[in-house]
Amino acid sequence: MQVKIENSWALRLHDEFNKPYFIELTQFVKEEYRIATVFPPGKEIFRAFDCCTFDELRVVILGQDPYHGAGQAHGLCFSVNQGIKPPPSLVNIFKEIKRDLGKEMPPHGDLTRWANQGVLLLNATLTVRESSPGSHQKKGWETFTDAVIKKISEEKEHVVFILWGAYAQKKTELINTEKHLILSSAHPSPFSADRGFFGNKHFSKANAYLKQNGLTEINW
């Protein structure tokens, strides 16, 4: 099955795209785009992969669902298009960066610059209906993104996996902790950020690990 995705990923995920679950998922997603408003735009479903090649990948940040409001989602978890007000979780991420690294909050919430440095901003579910969070969960996306995480764990070394919140932390079992670093804490949502997200210093810890292993640090 042909999937429009960056070549280094296409080579490694070719078998996954031909499995029955992925063919069924593709049919479901195509129908959803036909009958409803679905985010992100179709051409941006795999944007996290297109912006961050397999070879350049150094950090994985795992989200759950794309944003479900108009104009927000563009294929990178926690990120929004320029010109869109950053959601509360993203604002809290920027607040922690300031606390951790002393960097001022940027003028927009587009995290493409992270992705271009080797940060895979991966949602567990890659599509969602407008104003209907969780609407595309348990349709096959999680099987696919779990396979992506396993592939990264198996074929790469010294990747930093950043897992915020209980949902993301369940993915720990997919990762070889002898080869990679897992950083986990509460989710940056306003409902939980004060319970361990603020003060987690994940951004400086990620860079320290990368530097220790001879890899280029991320300009957060």
Side-chain angles (χ1 to χ4, degrees):
M1 182 176 186
Q2 287 295 110
V3 175
K4 291 182 179 178
I5 193 170
E6 191 275 330
N7 190 51
S8 67
W9 290 102
L11 291 171
R12 289 169 174 85
L13 298 172
H14 177 267
D15 290 346
E16 212 64 30
F17 295 144
N18 290 298
K19 290 180 179 178
Y21 88 86
F22 195 88
I23 294 169
E24 289 180 19
L25 169 64
T26 301
Q27 292 168 345
F28 166 77
V29 170
K30 283 182 177 177
E31 179 66 7
E32 283 286 284
Y33 275 93
R34 189 183 71 81
I35 65 174
T37 300
V38 176
F39 301 125
K43 68 181 186 301
E44 295 183 331
I45 292 173
F46 295 106
R47 188 158 177 265
F49 302 91
D50 296 336
C51 291
C52 175
T53 69
F54 188 88
D55 293 333
E56 292 171 345
L57 184 154
R58 286 171 282 151
V59 178
V60 178
I61 298 180
L62 190 69
Q64 190 164 357
D65 261 12
Y67 295 121
H68 53 84
Q72 291 181 304
H74 63 151
L76 308 177
C77 74
F78 293 106
S79 179
V80 291
N81 283 300
Q82 294 193 33
I84 299 293
K85 182 181 178 181
S89 291
L90 182 55
V91 171
N92 285 340
I93 290 169
F94 290 145
K95 286 180 179 177
E96 176 56 24
I97 289 173
K98 184 174 182 180
R99 289 174 62 156
D100 187 11
L101 302 173
K103 294 193 171 189
E104 294 299 324
M105 192 173 296
H108 57 77
D110 183 352
L111 303 180
T112 301
R113 64 186 184 86
W114 292 4
N116 290 338
Q117 293 178 76
V119 181
L120 183 67
L121 295 163
L122 180 66
N123 277 313
T125 301
L126 299 187
T127 54
V128 68
R129 268 197 187 201
E130 182 176 27
S131 304
S132 186
S135 50
H136 286 187
Q137 291 178 6
K138 299 180 180 177
K139 301 295 184 181
W141 278 131
E142 297 92 337
T143 303
F144 171 70
T145 52
D146 280 1
V148 169
I149 293 168
K150 286 180 187 175
K151 181 72 68 173
I152 295 167
S153 177
E154 290 168 2
E155 295 193 16
K156 292 188 72 74
E157 290 186 343
H158 309 311
V159 173
V160 181
F161 289 86
I162 297 179
L163 309 179
W164 294 325
Y167 181 87
Q169 287 162 23
K170 292 176 183 175
K171 307 300 181 180
T172 299
E173 64 187 28
L174 306 173
I175 301 162
N176 182 342
T177 55
E178 294 182 5
K179 293 170 60 184
H180 306 288
L181 175 66
I182 294 178
L183 298 174
S184 61
S185 76
H187 194 275
S189 160
F191 301 107
S192 57
D194 286 327
R195 299 202 297 269
F197 176 78
F198 288 135
N200 65 23
K201 297 186 180 297
H202 280 180
F203 304 97
S204 60
K205 288 177 180 177
N207 276 351
Y209 179 82
L210 293 172
K211 185 176 181 180
Q212 173 188 329
N213 287 286
L215 299 168
T216 305
E217 298 168 72
I218 304 298
N219 179 13
W220 302 105

